[in-house]
Amino acid sequence: MKSGGGSGRTDVTAEYVVVGAGITGASIAAHLAGRGAPPLILEAGQPGCGATRVSGGMVRGYDPDPTTAELASSSIARYAEPSGWNTGVAPLHRVGAVTLAWLDQSEDLRRAQGELRAASGLDAHVVSDAGGSEVAGVRLAGAVALVEPTAGYVDPVSVTRLFVRQAVRDGSRLMTGTRLEAVSGTGGRILLRCAGLTVRARIVVLALGGWTSRPPSGVHVVGALIGTRSIQACVIRRPIGVPPHTTFVDLRTGCYGRPMTGRRSLIGFPLTVWGVDPDSDPAADIGHHRRTLEEVRRFLPWVPRGQTVRLVRSFDGYCDKADLLLRTRSPGVWSVRVGNGGGVRVAPELGRRVAEQLLARPDA
Ligand SMILES: Cc1cc2nc3c(=O)[nH]c(=O)nc-3n(C[C@H](O)[C@H](O)[C@H](O)COP(=O)(O)OP(=O)(O)OC[C@H]3O[C@@H](n4cnc5c(N)ncnc54)[C@H](O)[C@@H]3O)c2cc1C
């Protein structure tokens, strides 16, 4: 990476540039750096300041979407392995994960249980509600459930910082408070314009999360529809005497929850508002919060006695394509798969595969 100056702008040259240091961009940067191709990282705010900042961080191997399931089941192993992290501590809080589904989805869950065991060695079993059944503090509420005792949750911001630290240790440079405004040129001679900074790069990876729906000037993602969708969750203090519970998601309604440190739990219920302006900061929807509490009490009966500590409203990027790397009209400039509401549980494996795909094609 070389730096120079002139006309009030600083010029930097880099072989690889990753734009966006959410959990996705940070993982890609760490994997590129670990393979001898340390990228320059440009981040508009601070690492993990986007959707990653408020994420629930639940990780489980199963997902109805096969691409997500495949990435997520490999990622759990990485989250659970202490030796893969600078700190020597695995980020995974192994409180388990329960996925609730309609009774007629039993066969799908049993198949998934077999696949998790065969492909990733992950422990999983299926249970059905026998009237008031509960798994690790979560009522099954008439569902059939896939239980993954070795899954759980991570702190998404800490993981993002760990990835960034790993990338910097392996030669990357991080520029925070640096928003990419415009892209011009093509393969080999790409020009990235930020306020007060011009970067010349060969390969650029955009990991902008929901901001990809309104990309920097000159970027046109090819063949994919990318939008933003609201996500609202809340933090509830559990009444005295109520122990922590496992993480859960109800596929029938989208309701989910996980324990946090202390006596708190994070719970959420889909708030389907599309086309969120990534730079706006909409107020929490109180009506939706009431519906969330109503819905989640079926699984966590203590919720009406709990105290709401905080409402969290944010958004994530959603895309209609499964590709990990999407082409843009500028050769050498790639846009990475957006989170689709589950970017944390796929980040370690997605970062590895994206880095390997980029390094496998020198003409990328
Ligand atoms: C309330 C909530 C709960 C969630 N719960 C879960 C969960 O339990 N499990 C799970 O797996 N997922 C969950 N998600 C989804 C998950 O958090 C996201 O999919 C993931 O964090 C997306 O990461 P990202 O790096 O792709 O995007 P982001 O974290 O949004 O990062 C994008 C980064 O790009 C930067 N950026 C944008 N534009 C520019 C620019 N022009 N120049 C420079 N930098 C730029 C931004 O500042 C930001 O830091 C949840 C999300 C929310 C909001």
Side-chain angles (χ1 to χ4, degrees):
M1 247 167 276
K2 296 182 199 148
S3 301
S7 359
R9 296 181 75 90
T10 307
D11 283 351
V12 176
T13 306
E15 181 81 351
Y16 290 90
V17 177
V18 172
V19 187
I23 197 163
T24 307
S27 173
I28 294 166
H31 283 284
L32 279 171
R35 286 161 179 73
L40 170 66
I41 309 167
L42 303 178
E43 165 53 50
Q46 293 293 323
C49 69
T52 300
R53 182 176 61 87
V54 291
S55 178
M58 292 188 292
V59 295
R60 57 178 189 277
Y62 173 68
D63 195 278
D65 167 51
T67 308
T68 303
E70 205 207 336
L71 293 168
S73 53
S74 305
S75 293
I76 288 191
R78 175 86 203 283
Y79 278 133
E81 176 51 53
S83 66
W85 304 87
N86 283 349
T87 51
V89 178
L92 182 67
H93 297 261
R94 241 181 205 178
V95 298
V98 173
T99 304
L100 303 151
W102 297 106
L103 290 177
D104 63 8
Q105 290 174 287
S106 297
E107 269 320 298
D108 292 346
L109 295 191
R110 279 186 215 291
R111 204 172 316 119
Q113 166 196 346
E115 285 166 7
L116 284 172
R117 283 197 177 152
S120 317
L122 292 175
D123 187 13
H125 58 272
V126 176
V127 290
S128 297
D129 187 10
S133 308
E134 195 177 292
V135 174
V138 172
R139 293 240 172 113
L140 297 191
V144 58
L146 180 71
V147 182
E148 298 177 53
T150 50
Y153 70 92
V154 298
D155 175 345
V157 174
S158 306
V159 169
T160 303
R161 289 186 184 141
L162 286 173
F163 279 136
V164 169
R165 242 178 271 152
Q166 226 160 290
V168 170
R169 181 201 63 189
D170 291 339
S172 280
R173 178 170 166 197
L174 167 69
M175 299 183 83
T176 56
T178 307
R179 178 177 287 273
L180 173 64
E181 287 164 356
V183 178
S184 57
T186 57
R189 286 197 307 274
I190 304 159
L191 279 187
L192 306 177
R193 268 180 246 286
C194 313
L197 176 76
T198 303
V199 179
R200 290 162 208 281
R202 193 174 71 81
I203 305 292
V204 177
V205 182
L206 303 172
L208 308 180
W211 281 268
T212 315
S213 63
R214 228 183 39 195
S217 156
V219 174
H220 302 274
V221 178
V222 179
L225 283 175
I226 298 170
T228 48
R229 198 177 118 175
S230 247
I231 303 183
Q232 181 169 304
C234 59
V235 176
I236 308 273
R237 182 169 291 118
R238 295 189 299 275
I240 290 171
V242 175
H245 47 88
T246 185
T247 70
F248 74 93
V249 62
D250 179 32
L251 296 183
R252 302 167 300 176
T253 60
C255 193
Y256 59 88
R258 74 134 157 112
M260 301 173 78
T261 49
R263 264 184 25 234
R264 296 174 307 151
S265 291
L266 181 99
I267 61 177
F269 180 55
L271 172 62
T272 314
V273 179
W274 287 93
V276 180
D277 173 356
D279 289 321
S280 73
D281 188 12
D285 181 328
I286 301 300
H288 182 75
H289 176 54
R290 285 198 206 98
R291 285 194 292 282
T292 303
L293 297 181
E294 253 329 288
E295 188 60 35
V296 82
R297 66 188 292 183
R298 296 165 59 208
F299 309 103
L300 304 173
W302 51 263
V303 159
R305 292 183 292 120
Q307 183 197 350
T308 300
V309 177
R310 190 157 49 97
L311 297 184
V312 176
R313 180 155 177 186
S314 185
F315 65 91
D316 199 9
Y318 284 76
C319 180
D320 64 340
K321 293 282 179 303
D323 309 51
L324 303 190
L325 277 172
L326 296 166
R327 281 182 189 284
T328 71
R329 283 197 207 145
S330 313
V333 180
W334 297 88
S335 183
V336 171
R337 183 182 198 260
V338 289
N340 291 315
V344 172
R345 59 210 161 90
V346 301
E349 179 65 8
L350 182 140
R352 183 183 76 77
R353 288 198 199 173
V354 165
E356 285 181 355
Q357 280 184 30
L358 289 169
L359 294 172
R361 44 204 314 175
D363 62 324

